[in-house]
Short mmCIF file of all heavy atoms in Angstrom, two decimals:
data_model
loop_
_atom_site.label_atom_id
_atom_site.label_comp_id
_atom_site.label_asym_id
_atom_site.label_seq_id
_atom_site.Cartn_x
_atom_site.Cartn_y
_atom_site.Cartn_z
N ALA A 23 -3.07 -19.93 2.22
CA ALA A 23 -2.92 -21.33 2.34
C ALA A 23 -1.98 -21.79 3.44
O ALA A 23 -2.22 -22.93 4.02
CB ALA A 23 -2.39 -21.84 0.99
N GLU A 28 -0.63 -26.47 8.36
CA GLU A 28 -0.37 -27.40 9.64
C GLU A 28 -1.61 -28.34 9.80
O GLU A 28 -1.54 -29.27 10.53
CB GLU A 28 -0.12 -26.51 10.85
CG GLU A 28 1.10 -25.74 10.75
CD GLU A 28 1.12 -24.48 11.67
OE1 GLU A 28 1.24 -24.74 12.83
OE2 GLU A 28 0.83 -23.36 11.07
N PHE A 34 0.09 -23.53 -2.19
CA PHE A 34 0.16 -23.50 -3.61
C PHE A 34 1.66 -23.40 -4.11
O PHE A 34 2.10 -24.08 -5.00
CB PHE A 34 -0.70 -22.47 -4.24
CG PHE A 34 -2.10 -22.65 -3.98
CD1 PHE A 34 -2.73 -22.14 -2.82
CD2 PHE A 34 -2.91 -23.38 -4.96
CE1 PHE A 34 -4.10 -22.34 -2.72
CE2 PHE A 34 -4.22 -23.56 -4.72
CZ PHE A 34 -4.84 -23.21 -3.56
N ARG A 35 2.46 -22.57 -3.45
CA ARG A 35 3.71 -22.21 -3.91
C ARG A 35 4.93 -22.63 -3.08
O ARG A 35 5.99 -22.37 -3.42
CB ARG A 35 3.68 -20.70 -4.23
CG ARG A 35 2.82 -20.34 -5.27
CD ARG A 35 2.59 -18.84 -5.52
NE ARG A 35 1.66 -18.53 -6.50
CZ ARG A 35 0.37 -18.67 -6.01
NH1 ARG A 35 -0.05 -18.82 -4.82
NH2 ARG A 35 -0.62 -18.49 -7.07
N TRP A 42 1.23 -26.22 -6.95
CA TRP A 42 1.71 -25.76 -8.31
C TRP A 42 3.14 -26.26 -8.48
O TRP A 42 3.56 -26.01 -9.73
CB TRP A 42 1.70 -24.27 -8.38
CG TRP A 42 0.33 -23.58 -8.22
CD1 TRP A 42 0.09 -22.40 -7.70
CD2 TRP A 42 -0.98 -24.12 -8.57
NE1 TRP A 42 -1.26 -22.10 -7.67
CE2 TRP A 42 -1.92 -23.25 -8.33
CE3 TRP A 42 -1.44 -25.36 -9.15
CZ2 TRP A 42 -3.27 -23.38 -8.37
CZ3 TRP A 42 -2.71 -25.58 -9.40
CH2 TRP A 42 -3.67 -24.57 -8.96
N HIS A 119 -12.08 -16.31 -2.63
CA HIS A 119 -11.81 -17.34 -3.80
C HIS A 119 -12.81 -18.39 -3.75
O HIS A 119 -12.52 -19.49 -4.45
CB HIS A 119 -10.35 -17.76 -3.78
CG HIS A 119 -9.42 -16.73 -3.85
ND1 HIS A 119 -8.01 -16.86 -3.66
CD2 HIS A 119 -9.57 -15.50 -4.37
CE1 HIS A 119 -7.42 -15.76 -3.88
NE2 HIS A 119 -8.27 -14.88 -4.30
N THR A 188 0.06 -16.00 3.68
CA THR A 188 -0.06 -15.77 2.29
C THR A 188 1.18 -15.27 1.67
O THR A 188 1.89 -14.52 2.29
CB THR A 188 -1.27 -14.98 2.09
OG1 THR A 188 -1.38 -14.66 0.68
CG2 THR A 188 -1.09 -13.60 2.70
N SER A 189 1.41 -15.74 0.48
CA SER A 189 2.71 -15.22 -0.19
C SER A 189 2.62 -13.89 -0.75
O SER A 189 3.50 -13.28 -1.16
CB SER A 189 2.97 -16.21 -1.38
OG SER A 189 1.94 -16.26 -2.30
N ASN A 213 4.24 -15.16 8.92
CA ASN A 213 4.70 -16.06 7.80
C ASN A 213 6.16 -16.56 8.17
O ASN A 213 6.94 -15.64 8.47
CB ASN A 213 4.74 -15.35 6.57
CG ASN A 213 4.86 -16.36 5.40
OD1 ASN A 213 5.61 -17.22 5.30
ND2 ASN A 213 4.06 -16.02 4.20
N ALA A 231 1.88 -20.08 11.78
CA ALA A 231 0.64 -19.44 12.30
C ALA A 231 0.18 -20.36 13.59
O ALA A 231 -0.29 -19.74 14.45
CB ALA A 231 -0.41 -19.37 11.21
N1 LIG B 1 2.05 -20.71 8.98
C1 LIG B 1 2.11 -19.47 8.18
N2 LIG B 1 2.44 -19.33 6.95
C2 LIG B 1 2.85 -20.44 6.39
C3 LIG B 1 2.83 -21.75 6.92
C4 LIG B 1 2.57 -21.83 8.29
N3 LIG B 1 2.42 -23.00 8.94
N4 LIG B 1 3.36 -22.64 6.03
C5 LIG B 1 3.55 -21.95 4.92
N5 LIG B 1 3.40 -20.63 5.12
C6 LIG B 1 3.39 -19.55 4.13
C7 LIG B 1 4.42 -19.69 2.97
O1 LIG B 1 5.76 -19.24 3.33
C8 LIG B 1 3.91 -18.93 1.87
O2 LIG B 1 4.26 -17.55 1.82
O3 LIG B 1 2.15 -19.44 3.35
C9 LIG B 1 2.35 -18.92 2.08
C10 LIG B 1 1.54 -19.75 1.19
O4 LIG B 1 1.58 -19.08 -0.10
P1 LIG B 1 0.84 -19.72 -1.38
O5 LIG B 1 1.11 -21.10 -1.45
O6 LIG B 1 1.21 -18.74 -2.51
O7 LIG B 1 -0.67 -19.47 -0.95
P2 LIG B 1 -1.59 -18.16 -1.02
O8 LIG B 1 -0.91 -16.91 -0.82
O9 LIG B 1 -2.85 -18.51 -0.17
O10 LIG B 1 -2.01 -18.14 -2.69
C11 LIG B 1 -3.04 -17.19 -3.08
O11 LIG B 1 -3.14 -18.24 -5.20
O12 LIG B 1 -3.08 -20.29 -6.35
C12 LIG B 1 -3.87 -19.18 -5.94
O13 LIG B 1 -6.23 -19.06 -5.64
C13 LIG B 1 -5.09 -19.63 -4.98
O14 LIG B 1 -5.90 -18.60 -3.08
C14 LIG B 1 -4.70 -19.01 -3.73
C15 LIG B 1 -3.81 -17.77 -4.14
#
Side-chain angles (χ1 to χ4, degrees):
E28 294 157 80
F34 293 90
R35 290 173 190 81
W42 299 149
H119 295 165
T188 180
S189 57
N213 194 320

